[in-house]
Amino acid sequence: MNAANLLEIHGLHLYFDTYLGTVRAVEGLDLTVSRGETVGLVGESGCGKSVSALAILGLISQPPGRIAGGKILFKGEDLLKKSPAELRNIRGKYISMIFQEPMSSLNPVYRVGDQMVEVIMLHRRVSRGEARKIALEMLHEVQMPDPEAVMQKYPFEMSGGMLQRVMIAMELSGKPDLLLADEPTTALDVTVQAQILRLMKNLVKKMNASVLLITHDLGVVAQTCDRVAVMYAGQVVEVAPTEELFTDPRHPYTRGLMGCFPDPNRQDAELAAIEGTVPDLINPPGGCRFHPRCPRAGDICGKEGPGPVAISDDHVVHCFFARQASDDHSEGGTGKGVAVLG
Amino acid sequence: MAEVLLEVKNLVKHFGARKAFLEPVRRPVRAVDGISFSVRRLETFGLVGESGCGKSTTGFCIARVDDPTAGEVYFEGMDILKLGATEMRGIRRHIQMVFQDPHSSLDPRMTVLKSVGAPLLIHGLATRRDVREKVLRLLEMVGLGVQHLDRYPHQFSGGQKQRLGIARALALNPELVILDEPTSALDVSVQAQILNLLRRLQSELGLSYIFISHNLGVVRYLSHRTAVMHLGKIVELGPTPVLFARPRHHYTRALLSAIPVPNPRHDGAEIILKGDLPSPSRPPSGCRFHTRCDAASALCAEKEPDLREVGEDHLAACHAPL
Ligand SMILES: Nc1ncnc2c1ncn2[C@@H]1O[C@H](COP(=O)(O)OP(=O)(O)O)[C@@H](O)[C@H]1O
Ligand SMILES: Nc1ncnc2c1ncn2[C@@H]1O[C@H](COP(=O)(O)OP(=O)(O)O)[C@@H](O)[C@H]1O
Ligand code: SF4
Ligand SMILES: [Mg+2]
Ligand SMILES: [Mg+2]
């Protein structure tokens, strides 16, 4: 393991056994996060972002879940080999997680302050009084107006943006090395999203924490991440430094996603929609999982899975044609639209 | 200037607030609080704003799904709020609505043929004999086919269901379609397919749209003119390219600068608003944005600014427009 890497996921396979069959939700995931780095994990719904993050903290319920292979090295130790007690100890102190819906992690019948104090006592092994002091400090850090009053509130008395601040304050109170943030701003309005993203960025920088930021929004990625991994149907298809991903996307799916965002300078152009729909992960397509929707696919794509192709040291693409650069990001589009089934 | 199809004047919708827990005074939610605008023939009129600002309520009032508290809504010159039930029946088919959640407009127990065919039969636009043929034509229009006719809603993906929602709205040959967040529940790749479809249908069928969304990028792409709503009011209205390139209201500017741009070289949000949006049941005095506005003066807290002309075809409600 590279010493600079805080987290290294190698060849993770994560399946769910359902009565309809086995959902092959994550298939051979490789991902690294180094110290102080913010890595984005992007992709459309169902591609396996959340379950990958949950697996890091051992939060996949088994059954129906099943880790069918791989390693998750955190500071060199395989988290998949840890006992539930060891993982509980890691959670909050070394690795924290925030979710899209803060209410899913808060108890509606307890005051926000009491919940923060409980969590801080657990993560920091401090007295109640000390925990209270830390809670107030953290609420101040997340720029909460009137922290004392906030401590007395019940979750339902607060807006989504304020609750997400509470969650960030609570989860960062243990000074974790790694924050897993699963769509933390997806449920918020844009102006509140801007507040929360700025705040998270400043706080993790100050604490020198690493972040794995899960989102489906390429705009959020561009504004917050150092590196990005693009997922499609349970696999990472492209990893690159953020700037390089946007200036030189190599995977047809990455290009397709970029073409789906309306370009403000081309109001009259048709959007380069990606044809078809995401595959069923019980029977994923053979070969490259993207081949049925891929505008570039050749005969080989349906037969073999493309291995990693290194474009540069830190730009890796899983596509047979990755070395053929193209300036035209919209080539994935069809301009037809009529026969496209949503 | 193009012909006006729909004109909304001083539209108001207050919801009589239920008595809140331990709150002695009833305070109505001022969801829509006196807005005026018009929609021109063949135009896409965008309505943007953050959640709770009154976009859907505006749409519901125009489609008469909801009854406004006050105001006038003229469709082809007729005040449709004054029409009786029978007269309204004739108008209703000209104004159709598509919702964010396509499930809500499709009966899970009915096949596509039945749910898309029902409005055709009710309005006498099809007979038992040709209804299948006519539904099929609608399906083909939205990119579906004969294989989908006898399926049930649960057998469709989110994007396909939205295509069905659109087919159903188009069945009665409407003039105006109110699209309320039609792509907000969809993934970006599917959203792009639906946006392309909406564009094509508009030019093929000569439709006018009111396009409601909280997604500014999408509104910018699709709308000819855009109105920005804030706490039940329209704060700015203008030609889309102008409004996005040079917003004149301070709220519009803050809203636009908060959109995360998919370009890493772009500098992040310049203007970050402080605090939360005030509640629509106790909106601030004067300009409702004054509590969060950098440029607010004493006047802003006292007097509500009128929506005034600030440029060609461009209105803003601000005492000190940008
Ligand atoms: N408990 C479960 N049982 C069966 N399938 C599951 C379960 N949890 C997740 N999945 C499946 O795993 C895939 C990945 O899900 P998820 O990680 O939530 O996607 P994302 O976060 O990218 O939207 C999906 O196809 C989903 O249906
Ligand atoms: N049936 C209702 N009863 C009470 N309040 C409502 C009702 N419908 C909407 N509201 C309130 O009216 C305001 C505007 O809502 P809405 O039009 O749905 O906003 P938007 O579509 O812009 O998100 C919100 O504060 C909302 O809570
Ligand atoms: S490997 Fe083939 S199918 Fe997969 S993305 Fe590349 S070209 Fe497309
Ligand atoms: Mg998820
Ligand atoms: Mg709405």
PDB file of all heavy atoms in Angstrom, chain B residues 164-190:
ATOM      1  N   LEU B 164     -45.030   8.685 -20.914  1.00  0.00           N
ATOM      2  CA  LEU B 164     -46.467   8.403 -20.860  1.00  0.00           C
ATOM      3  C   LEU B 164     -47.234   9.609 -20.322  1.00  0.00           C
ATOM      4  O   LEU B 164     -48.302   9.956 -20.824  1.00  0.00           O
ATOM      5  CB  LEU B 164     -46.750   7.202 -19.954  1.00  0.00           C
ATOM      6  CG  LEU B 164     -46.329   5.844 -20.496  1.00  0.00           C
ATOM      7  CD1 LEU B 164     -46.561   4.765 -19.441  1.00  0.00           C
ATOM      8  CD2 LEU B 164     -47.117   5.518 -21.758  1.00  0.00           C
ATOM      9  N   GLY B 165     -46.682  10.248 -19.277  1.00  0.00           N
ATOM     10  CA  GLY B 165     -47.319  11.441 -18.712  1.00  0.00           C
ATOM     11  C   GLY B 165     -47.467  12.520 -19.784  1.00  0.00           C
ATOM     12  O   GLY B 165     -48.500  13.194 -19.871  1.00  0.00           O
ATOM     13  N   ILE B 166     -46.450  12.638 -20.628  1.00  0.00           N
ATOM     14  CA  ILE B 166     -46.494  13.641 -21.691  1.00  0.00           C
ATOM     15  C   ILE B 166     -47.526  13.232 -22.747  1.00  0.00           C
ATOM     16  O   ILE B 166     -48.325  14.055 -23.199  1.00  0.00           O
ATOM     17  CB  ILE B 166     -45.092  13.830 -22.315  1.00  0.00           C
ATOM     18  CG1 ILE B 166     -44.145  14.449 -21.275  1.00  0.00           C
ATOM     19  CG2 ILE B 166     -45.156  14.710 -23.558  1.00  0.00           C
ATOM     20  CD1 ILE B 166     -42.678  14.419 -21.660  1.00  0.00           C
ATOM     21  N   ALA B 167     -47.548  11.937 -23.098  1.00  0.00           N
ATOM     22  CA  ALA B 167     -48.514  11.455 -24.087  1.00  0.00           C
ATOM     23  C   ALA B 167     -49.938  11.750 -23.617  1.00  0.00           C
ATOM     24  O   ALA B 167     -50.798  12.188 -24.376  1.00  0.00           O
ATOM     25  CB  ALA B 167     -48.329   9.956 -24.317  1.00  0.00           C
ATOM     26  N   ARG B 168     -50.173  11.516 -22.328  1.00  0.00           N
ATOM     27  CA  ARG B 168     -51.502  11.735 -21.768  1.00  0.00           C
ATOM     28  C   ARG B 168     -51.883  13.213 -21.825  1.00  0.00           C
ATOM     29  O   ARG B 168     -53.009  13.572 -22.157  1.00  0.00           O
ATOM     30  CB  ARG B 168     -51.507  11.254 -20.323  1.00  0.00           C
ATOM     31  CG  ARG B 168     -52.768  10.576 -19.924  1.00  0.00           C
ATOM     32  CD  ARG B 168     -52.658  10.135 -18.482  1.00  0.00           C
ATOM     33  NE  ARG B 168     -53.610  10.899 -17.694  1.00  0.00           N
ATOM     34  CZ  ARG B 168     -54.825  10.473 -17.405  1.00  0.00           C
ATOM     35  NH1 ARG B 168     -55.228   9.300 -17.821  1.00  0.00           N
ATOM     36  NH2 ARG B 168     -55.647  11.213 -16.721  1.00  0.00           N
ATOM     37  N   ALA B 169     -50.920  14.065 -21.531  1.00  0.00           N
ATOM     38  CA  ALA B 169     -51.187  15.502 -21.557  1.00  0.00           C
ATOM     39  C   ALA B 169     -51.461  15.970 -22.988  1.00  0.00           C
ATOM     40  O   ALA B 169     -52.233  16.896 -23.209  1.00  0.00           O
ATOM     41  CB  ALA B 169     -50.012  16.268 -20.965  1.00  0.00           C
ATOM     42  N   LEU B 170     -50.840  15.300 -23.962  1.00  0.00           N
ATOM     43  CA  LEU B 170     -51.000  15.729 -25.353  1.00  0.00           C
ATOM     44  C   LEU B 170     -52.248  15.163 -26.010  1.00  0.00           C
ATOM     45  O   LEU B 170     -52.647  15.605 -27.083  1.00  0.00           O
ATOM     46  CB  LEU B 170     -49.770  15.313 -26.178  1.00  0.00           C
ATOM     47  CG  LEU B 170     -48.452  15.978 -25.780  1.00  0.00           C
ATOM     48  CD1 LEU B 170     -47.336  15.489 -26.680  1.00  0.00           C
ATOM     49  CD2 LEU B 170     -48.576  17.500 -25.856  1.00  0.00           C
ATOM     50  N   ALA B 171     -52.863  14.170 -25.353  1.00  0.00           N
ATOM     51  CA  ALA B 171     -53.982  13.457 -25.965  1.00  0.00           C
ATOM     52  C   ALA B 171     -55.078  14.402 -26.438  1.00  0.00           C
ATOM     53  O   ALA B 171     -55.678  14.195 -27.484  1.00  0.00           O
ATOM     54  CB  ALA B 171     -54.545  12.430 -24.986  1.00  0.00           C
ATOM     55  N   LEU B 172     -55.349  15.454 -25.677  1.00  0.00           N
ATOM     56  CA  LEU B 172     -56.473  16.326 -26.007  1.00  0.00           C
ATOM     57  C   LEU B 172     -56.078  17.515 -26.864  1.00  0.00           C
ATOM     58  O   LEU B 172     -56.831  18.471 -26.991  1.00  0.00           O
ATOM     59  CB  LEU B 172     -57.147  16.805 -24.717  1.00  0.00           C
ATOM     60  CG  LEU B 172     -57.687  15.666 -23.845  1.00  0.00           C
ATOM     61  CD1 LEU B 172     -58.320  16.214 -22.591  1.00  0.00           C
ATOM     62  CD2 LEU B 172     -58.689  14.826 -24.622  1.00  0.00           C
ATOM     63  N   ASN B 173     -54.859  17.427 -27.436  1.00  0.00           N
ATOM     64  CA  ASN B 173     -54.462  18.480 -28.340  1.00  0.00           C
ATOM     65  C   ASN B 173     -54.421  19.859 -27.699  1.00  0.00           C
ATOM     66  O   ASN B 173     -55.017  20.810 -28.199  1.00  0.00           O
ATOM     67  CB  ASN B 173     -55.483  18.548 -29.474  1.00  0.00           C
ATOM     68  CG  ASN B 173     -54.811  18.333 -30.788  1.00  0.00           C
ATOM     69  OD1 ASN B 173     -53.635  18.691 -30.930  1.00  0.00           O
ATOM     70  ND2 ASN B 173     -55.532  17.746 -31.714  1.00  0.00           N
ATOM     71  N   PRO B 174     -53.738  19.997 -26.582  1.00  0.00           N
ATOM     72  CA  PRO B 174     -53.771  21.261 -25.848  1.00  0.00           C
ATOM     73  C   PRO B 174     -52.979  22.354 -26.565  1.00  0.00           C
ATOM     74  O   PRO B 174     -52.191  22.076 -27.465  1.00  0.00           O
ATOM     75  CB  PRO B 174     -53.074  20.896 -24.540  1.00  0.00           C
ATOM     76  CG  PRO B 174     -52.109  19.829 -24.923  1.00  0.00           C
ATOM     77  CD  PRO B 174     -52.800  19.027 -25.989  1.00  0.00           C
ATOM     78  N   GLU B 175     -53.249  23.593 -26.150  1.00  0.00           N
ATOM     79  CA  GLU B 175     -52.473  24.719 -26.669  1.00  0.00           C
ATOM     80  C   GLU B 175     -51.328  25.020 -25.709  1.00  0.00           C
ATOM     81  O   GLU B 175     -50.251  25.422 -26.102  1.00  0.00           O
ATOM     82  CB  GLU B 175     -53.345  25.982 -26.711  1.00  0.00           C
ATOM     83  CG  GLU B 175     -54.642  25.796 -27.429  1.00  0.00           C
ATOM     84  CD  GLU B 175     -54.648  26.559 -28.728  1.00  0.00           C
ATOM     85  OE1 GLU B 175     -53.648  27.234 -29.015  1.00  0.00           O
ATOM     86  OE2 GLU B 175     -55.647  26.453 -29.443  1.00  0.00           O
ATOM     87  N   LEU B 176     -51.649  24.852 -24.411  1.00  0.00           N
ATOM     88  CA  LEU B 176     -50.684  25.216 -23.374  1.00  0.00           C
ATOM     89  C   LEU B 176     -50.419  23.998 -22.498  1.00  0.00           C
ATOM     90  O   LEU B 176     -51.357  23.347 -22.027  1.00  0.00           O
ATOM     91  CB  LEU B 176     -51.264  26.345 -22.517  1.00  0.00           C
ATOM     92  CG  LEU B 176     -50.424  26.794 -21.315  1.00  0.00           C
ATOM     93  CD1 LEU B 176     -49.144  27.477 -21.768  1.00  0.00           C
ATOM     94  CD2 LEU B 176     -51.232  27.746 -20.419  1.00  0.00           C
ATOM     95  N   VAL B 177     -49.155  23.672 -22.293  1.00  0.00           N
ATOM     96  CA  VAL B 177     -48.819  22.574 -21.394  1.00  0.00           C
ATOM     97  C   VAL B 177     -47.993  23.140 -20.246  1.00  0.00           C
ATOM     98  O   VAL B 177     -46.990  23.819 -20.469  1.00  0.00           O
ATOM     99  CB  VAL B 177     -48.040  21.442 -22.110  1.00  0.00           C
ATOM    100  CG1 VAL B 177     -47.782  20.288 -21.149  1.00  0.00           C
ATOM    101  CG2 VAL B 177     -48.813  20.954 -23.315  1.00  0.00           C
ATOM    102  N   ILE B 178     -48.452  22.884 -19.025  1.00  0.00           N
ATOM    103  CA  ILE B 178     -47.730  23.330 -17.839  1.00  0.00           C
ATOM    104  C   ILE B 178     -46.885  22.150 -17.374  1.00  0.00           C
ATOM    105  O   ILE B 178     -47.410  21.097 -17.021  1.00  0.00           O
ATOM    106  CB  ILE B 178     -48.714  23.763 -16.735  1.00  0.00           C
ATOM    107  CG1 ILE B 178     -49.594  24.906 -17.261  1.00  0.00           C
ATOM    108  CG2 ILE B 178     -47.959  24.191 -15.482  1.00  0.00           C
ATOM    109  CD1 ILE B 178     -50.746  25.270 -16.347  1.00  0.00           C
ATOM    110  N   LEU B 179     -45.573  22.311 -17.445  1.00  0.00           N
ATOM    111  CA  LEU B 179     -44.667  21.221 -17.097  1.00  0.00           C
ATOM    112  C   LEU B 179     -44.079  21.532 -15.726  1.00  0.00           C
ATOM    113  O   LEU B 179     -43.283  22.458 -15.581  1.00  0.00           O
ATOM    114  CB  LEU B 179     -43.557  21.140 -18.148  1.00  0.00           C
ATOM    115  CG  LEU B 179     -44.047  20.936 -19.591  1.00  0.00           C
ATOM    116  CD1 LEU B 179     -43.117  21.592 -20.590  1.00  0.00           C
ATOM    117  CD2 LEU B 179     -44.201  19.455 -19.894  1.00  0.00           C
ATOM    118  N   ASP B 180     -44.505  20.780 -14.711  1.00  0.00           N
ATOM    119  CA  ASP B 180     -44.035  21.064 -13.353  1.00  0.00           C
ATOM    120  C   ASP B 180     -42.903  20.116 -12.978  1.00  0.00           C
ATOM    121  O   ASP B 180     -43.134  18.963 -12.655  1.00  0.00           O
ATOM    122  CB  ASP B 180     -45.205  20.919 -12.366  1.00  0.00           C
ATOM    123  CG  ASP B 180     -44.830  21.413 -10.964  1.00  0.00           C
ATOM    124  OD1 ASP B 180     -43.692  21.890 -10.773  1.00  0.00           O
ATOM    125  OD2 ASP B 180     -45.677  21.305 -10.058  1.00  0.00           O
ATOM    126  N   GLU B 181     -41.679  20.593 -13.052  1.00  0.00           N
ATOM    127  CA  GLU B 181     -40.488  19.801 -12.738  1.00  0.00           C
ATOM    128  C   GLU B 181     -40.515  18.447 -13.465  1.00  0.00           C
ATOM    129  O   GLU B 181     -40.305  17.400 -12.847  1.00  0.00           O
ATOM    130  CB  GLU B 181     -40.380  19.542 -11.219  1.00  0.00           C
ATOM    131  CG  GLU B 181     -40.500  20.782 -10.360  1.00  0.00           C
ATOM    132  CD  GLU B 181     -39.154  21.360  -9.916  1.00  0.00           C
ATOM    133  OE1 GLU B 181     -38.111  20.900 -10.403  1.00  0.00           O
ATOM    134  OE2 GLU B 181     -39.176  22.299  -9.093  1.00  0.00           O
ATOM    135  N   PRO B 182     -40.741  18.445 -14.781  1.00  0.00           N
ATOM    136  CA  PRO B 182     -40.936  17.161 -15.470  1.00  0.00           C
ATOM    137  C   PRO B 182     -39.710  16.263 -15.474  1.00  0.00           C
ATOM    138  O   PRO B 182     -39.843  15.071 -15.705  1.00  0.00           O
ATOM    139  CB  PRO B 182     -41.301  17.577 -16.894  1.00  0.00           C
ATOM    140  CG  PRO B 182     -40.661  18.907 -17.066  1.00  0.00           C
ATOM    141  CD  PRO B 182     -40.756  19.579 -15.720  1.00  0.00           C
ATOM    142  N   THR B 183     -38.525  16.818 -15.238  1.00  0.00           N
ATOM    143  CA  THR B 183     -37.336  15.960 -15.294  1.00  0.00           C
ATOM    144  C   THR B 183     -36.611  15.886 -13.959  1.00  0.00           C
ATOM    145  O   THR B 183     -35.527  15.318 -13.869  1.00  0.00           O
ATOM    146  CB  THR B 183     -36.327  16.457 -16.358  1.00  0.00           C
ATOM    147  OG1 THR B 183     -35.892  17.772 -16.001  1.00  0.00           O
ATOM    148  CG2 THR B 183     -36.944  16.500 -17.729  1.00  0.00           C
ATOM    149  N   SER B 184     -37.202  16.452 -12.910  1.00  0.00           N
ATOM    150  CA  SER B 184     -36.469  16.532 -11.644  1.00  0.00           C
ATOM    151  C   SER B 184     -36.255  15.183 -10.975  1.00  0.00           C
ATOM    152  O   SER B 184     -35.344  15.036 -10.174  1.00  0.00           O
ATOM    153  CB  SER B 184     -37.177  17.476 -10.685  1.00  0.00           C
ATOM    154  OG  SER B 184     -37.213  18.760 -11.255  1.00  0.00           O
ATOM    155  N   ALA B 185     -37.097  14.201 -11.289  1.00  0.00           N
ATOM    156  CA  ALA B 185     -36.921  12.895 -10.657  1.00  0.00           C
ATOM    157  C   ALA B 185     -36.058  11.970 -11.515  1.00  0.00           C
ATOM    158  O   ALA B 185     -35.857  10.818 -11.172  1.00  0.00           O
ATOM    159  CB  ALA B 185     -38.287  12.257 -10.407  1.00  0.00           C
ATOM    160  N   LEU B 186     -35.565  12.482 -12.626  1.00  0.00           N
ATOM    161  CA  LEU B 186     -34.865  11.604 -13.567  1.00  0.00           C
ATOM    162  C   LEU B 186     -33.356  11.808 -13.526  1.00  0.00           C
ATOM    163  O   LEU B 186     -32.869  12.878 -13.187  1.00  0.00           O
ATOM    164  CB  LEU B 186     -35.368  11.877 -14.989  1.00  0.00           C
ATOM    165  CG  LEU B 186     -36.890  11.814 -15.189  1.00  0.00           C
ATOM    166  CD1 LEU B 186     -37.245  12.235 -16.614  1.00  0.00           C
ATOM    167  CD2 LEU B 186     -37.411  10.419 -14.901  1.00  0.00           C
ATOM    168  N   ASP B 187     -32.634  10.769 -13.920  1.00  0.00           N
ATOM    169  CA  ASP B 187     -31.190  10.890 -14.039  1.00  0.00           C
ATOM    170  C   ASP B 187     -30.842  11.781 -15.223  1.00  0.00           C
ATOM    171  O   ASP B 187     -31.619  11.902 -16.164  1.00  0.00           O
ATOM    172  CB  ASP B 187     -30.575   9.504 -14.251  1.00  0.00           C
ATOM    173  CG  ASP B 187     -30.234   8.856 -12.927  1.00  0.00           C
ATOM    174  OD1 ASP B 187     -29.694   9.560 -12.053  1.00  0.00           O
ATOM    175  OD2 ASP B 187     -30.518   7.668 -12.773  1.00  0.00           O
ATOM    176  N   VAL B 188     -29.644  12.365 -15.182  1.00  0.00           N
ATOM    177  CA  VAL B 188     -29.294  13.333 -16.223  1.00  0.00           C
ATOM    178  C   VAL B 188     -29.367  12.782 -17.635  1.00  0.00           C
ATOM    179  O   VAL B 188     -29.773  13.493 -18.548  1.00  0.00           O
ATOM    180  CB  VAL B 188     -27.909  13.997 -16.019  1.00  0.00           C
ATOM    181  CG1 VAL B 188     -27.967  15.026 -14.933  1.00  0.00           C
ATOM    182  CG2 VAL B 188     -26.832  12.981 -15.765  1.00  0.00           C
ATOM    183  N   SER B 189     -28.998  11.521 -17.831  1.00  0.00           N
ATOM    184  CA  SER B 189     -29.012  11.016 -19.210  1.00  0.00           C
ATOM    185  C   SER B 189     -30.452  10.917 -19.712  1.00  0.00           C
ATOM    186  O   SER B 189     -30.740  11.178 -20.875  1.00  0.00           O
ATOM    187  CB  SER B 189     -28.292   9.673 -19.325  1.00  0.00           C
ATOM    188  OG  SER B 189     -29.014   8.636 -18.718  1.00  0.00           O
ATOM    189  N   VAL B 190     -31.365  10.564 -18.811  1.00  0.00           N
ATOM    190  CA  VAL B 190     -32.771  10.447 -19.193  1.00  0.00           C
ATOM    191  C   VAL B 190     -33.393  11.834 -19.295  1.00  0.00           C
ATOM    192  O   VAL B 190     -34.212  12.112 -20.178  1.00  0.00           O
ATOM    193  CB  VAL B 190     -33.522   9.574 -18.172  1.00  0.00           C
ATOM    194  CG1 VAL B 190     -34.970   9.416 -18.576  1.00  0.00           C
ATOM    195  CG2 VAL B 190     -32.851   8.225 -18.040  1.00  0.00           C
TER     196      VAL B 190
END
